[in-house]
Amino acid sequence: MLQSIVTSYDELPLFLNAKKLSEVLGISISSAYELMNEKDFPSIRIGKRLVVPKENLRQWTEEKTKK
C-alpha cells in the first residue's frame, strides 16, 4: 500500500497533476488518473493537461467524508 508523502496542505501547489495527486492520496498514478476522470471529481482540463485545484480537492474530500 502506498502512503502519502505530503505532510501539510500549505505545501501543495495551487493545481495538482496526477503524479502529485497520487502522492497526496497515497494511491498509484493510474488510480489518480481514474479518479480525475470520474464525473463528480473536481478536475479541470487546461489545454491537454488534467489538473485538480487544491481548494476543490479539499472541498471534495470534506463532502465525501461527511457521508
Side-chain angles (χ1 to χ4, degrees):
M1 180 174 168
L2 298 173
Q3 290 185 336
S4 173
I5 62 169
V6 178
T7 58
S8 170
Y9 176 78
D10 294 329
E11 69 185 43
L12 293 176
L14 187 57
F15 293 96
L16 289 78
N17 60 16
K19 183 176 187 293
K20 183 56 80 174
L21 183 64
S22 71
E23 293 171 357
V24 169
L25 298 178
I27 60 176
S28 68
I29 293 177
S30 61
S31 293
Y33 276 114
E34 285 181 33
L35 184 59
M36 292 172 83
N37 284 298
E38 289 288 323
K39 197 176 222 180
D40 70 333
F41 194 74
S43 59
I44 60 173
R45 189 165 295 282
I46 300 176
K48 292 184 177 186
R49 295 185 63 211
L50 198 56
V51 295
V52 180
K54 80 174 183 178
E55 186 56 38
N56 293 54
L57 176 63
R58 182 181 214 163
Q59 292 169 353
W60 179 85
T61 304
E62 288 175 5
E63 289 172 9
K64 292 297 182 181
T65 56
K66 287 180 184 177
K67 292 182 178 183

